[in-house]
Amino acid sequence: MTTDTHRVIRPSILYFGTPVVLLTTENDDGTFNLAPVSSAWALGQHVVLGLGAESATVRNLAERPELVINVASPRMWEHVERLAPLTGADPVPEGKRALYRYEPDKFGAAGLTPAGSDLVRPPRVAECALQLEARARALTPGGGGLFLSVECEVLRVHADERIVVPGTQHIDPAVWSPLIYNFRHYHGLAPEVGHGFRSETAGPAGRAA
C-alpha cells in the first residue's frame, strides 16, 4: 500500500505565490516606463528582480540604473492587470506581438499617479503604500538569454504612515499586505498563523505592538 499522494507535473509557469511590484524606470527620451513584475525577492537592503530580456525595463536599466520598486497591495490588482498586456518597447518585440501592445503612457493607462522621488529620477507610484528608491547594481543573463536577474540596492524606503508601527521604523505586518501573484491569479495574504523568532513587531499576544 502506497502513501505517496504526489505526482510529477510540468506547470507552464512557477509563480508559486510571489509579490507583485511596479517598476518605474527612465526611457531614452526622459519619459518614464511603468512595468508590473511578479519575480522579486529581498535580501537585506537589496532586492533581486527577474525580468524578461526583451523588456523596456531591462533596456532602461542597462543605460540608466535608477528605478523605484513600488510594492502593490491587493486592492490594486485591477490596476496591475491593466498594465499586464502593455509594453514600453517600440516596436513591440516579435515574441510579444501576439499578446502585448505598445503604450507610451502607462501611468494613464493603469489609472495610477506618479509622485516625485527624492534620490532617483523615476517617480514613485502614489497609490503604493510601500515604495523603494533603488539603483540596479548588476544585470546577470540567465535562462539561455530569455531573462535577466537584476540586483538592486535600496537607497530609500517610503512607507505610508498607516502601515508603520507608531514610534518605530518597522512595517506593521498586521496592517500591511502585499499583492500576491499565485499561478497567474491575484491574492492577498491570509490571516497570520504565527511569527518568526526574529520578529521585531510581535507583541506579547502575537499582535504587532
Side-chain angles (χ1 to χ4, degrees):
M1 179 179 178
T2 180
T3 58
D4 188 356
T5 59
H6 292 67
R7 65 188 180 96
V8 176
I9 64 172
R10 293 181 60 87
S12 60
I13 46 88
L14 291 174
Y15 291 123
F16 42 83
T18 50
V20 175
V21 298
L22 302 177
L23 305 182
T24 50
T25 57
E26 185 177 359
N27 298 316
D28 291 335
D29 61 2
T31 61
F32 299 102
N33 187 50
L34 176 65
V37 174
S38 50
S39 296
W41 61 278
L43 184 62
Q45 298 301 309
H46 290 75
V47 175
V48 179
L49 307 168
L51 303 175
E54 294 185 322
S55 69
T57 298
V58 163
R59 181 187 64 205
N60 287 347
L61 291 177
E63 298 293 331
R64 294 163 297 278
E66 294 182 345
L67 73 158
V68 181
I69 303 165
N70 303 276
V71 189
S73 58
R75 64 181 178 80
M76 294 180 63
W77 81 267
E78 290 178 296
H79 296 278
V80 173
E81 186 60 15
R82 287 179 212 165
L83 281 173
L86 308 179
T87 177
D90 183 26
V92 178
E94 186 174 351
K96 286 189 168 185
R97 290 175 187 169
L99 296 174
Y100 296 84
R101 65 178 177 84
Y102 170 64
E103 173 54 62
D105 180 16
K106 289 190 178 180
F107 273 97
L112 296 172
T113 310
S117 296
D118 294 342
L119 304 177
V120 300
R121 281 184 50 78
R124 296 173 290 140
V125 176
E127 289 78 6
C128 289
L130 193 57
Q131 309 148 348
L132 316 178
E133 296 187 37
R135 178 179 293 271
R137 295 300 187 187
L139 285 76
T140 306
L146 295 177
F147 62 82
L148 284 89
S149 297
V150 181
E151 180 185 339
C152 304
E153 179 186 4
V154 175
L155 306 175
R156 178 159 292 181
V157 177
H158 300 263
D160 189 302
E161 291 182 358
R162 291 171 292 184
I163 69 171
V164 179
V165 178
T168 78
Q169 300 290 310
H170 303 309
I171 301 298
D172 188 342
V175 176
W176 162 247
S177 173
L179 176 63
I180 299 296
Y181 197 53
N182 183 19
F183 288 95
R184 293 188 173 137
H185 290 249
Y186 296 102
H187 293 261
L189 293 183
E192 179 183 340
V193 296
H195 61 267
F197 77 98
R198 296 181 63 186
S199 171
E200 298 175 291
T201 53
R207 174 66 169 83

